[in-house]
Amino acid sequence: MNLEEVDASAWSSLESAAKDPQSGFRFINLCSVDVAGRPQARMVVPRRADTAARLLDVHTDTRSPKWLELSRNPFVTILGFCASTRIQLRLAGTTRLHSPGSDLAEKAWSELSAWTRRTYAGGPPGDELSDDETVPVVAGDEASGKAFFGVVSFRAESLDWFELRRADNRRAGFEYSHLGALAASRWINP
């Protein structure tokens, strides 16, 4: 593959991850910085990928520490690894938060299953449960979760693509314009 094909393949994989639960990149790490300046990483599911704009959307509970971290510092890294292809994607860029009631959050909410909507109706992520308390099973009122449902849009500024092979590992770097156009690409030493 040439560099343009590598870039196209990486973004095709991310688009597939947003649609296919069996995709090798279905679960990716979103890495941010907390209020104390410490790195934080968590698994997220890409819900939408837009290759032309170099955007990835993920859903989140706006009561989560992640939401607060991203509201204070929008710079993040996204890291994914597909075990079957042995390809790692490391993207750096910025996030934009779409709060409950925003057009993007409303559209995304309308496309969620009832089961997924109910996951936002429980208590805030990270709240402590007492020793005798079990994780609450949220029944019925899925609509109450809508007030806490937000979308994080990530715009990639760069991609570090790495293919782990038995011999001759390969690595390439890509940079994108603020509109998502491929601005630079190069093979780099793995």
Side-chain angles (χ1 to χ4, degrees), residues 103-144:
D103 289 344
L104 188 57
E106 288 288 324
K107 181 179 183 320
W109 180 263
S110 72
E111 296 169 354
L112 294 178
S113 68
W115 167 257
T116 302
R117 288 178 181 181
R118 282 194 298 269
T119 64
Y120 294 93
D127 266 13
E128 186 173 344
L129 299 174
S130 64
D131 289 341
D132 60 345
E133 190 177 5
T134 60
V135 177
V137 176
V138 181
D141 188 19
E142 67 191 54
S144 65

Side-chain angles (χ1 to χ4, degrees), residues 7 41 69 75 78 90-91 99 101 104 113 121 129 139 154 162 172:
D7 181 55
E69 291 165 12
F75 298 101
I78 288 182
R90 186 165 45 107
L91 300 114
S99 299
L104 188 57
S113 68
L129 299 174
F154 167 81
F162 180 77

Side-chain angles (χ1 to χ4, degrees), residues 14 17 24-33 39-46 56 58 66 69-70 75-82 88-93 95 152 154:
L14 292 169
F25 289 104
R26 182 62 170 184
F27 301 100
I28 55 179
N29 267 294
L30 175 74
C31 307
S32 59
V33 176
Q40 298 295 324
R42 77 274 294 154
M43 301 302 288
V44 295
V45 175
L56 292 174
V58 298
K66 167 182 25 175
E69 291 165 12
L70 297 176
F75 298 101
V76 301
T77 293
I78 288 182
L79 179 66
F81 181 75
C82 177
Q88 172 184 280
L89 303 177
R90 186 165 45 107
L91 300 114
T95 57
V152 176
F154 167 81

Side-chain angles (χ1 to χ4, degrees), residues 2 102 126-127 142 169 173 189:
N2 65 34
S102 67
D127 266 13
E142 67 191 54
N169 295 334
N189 189 24

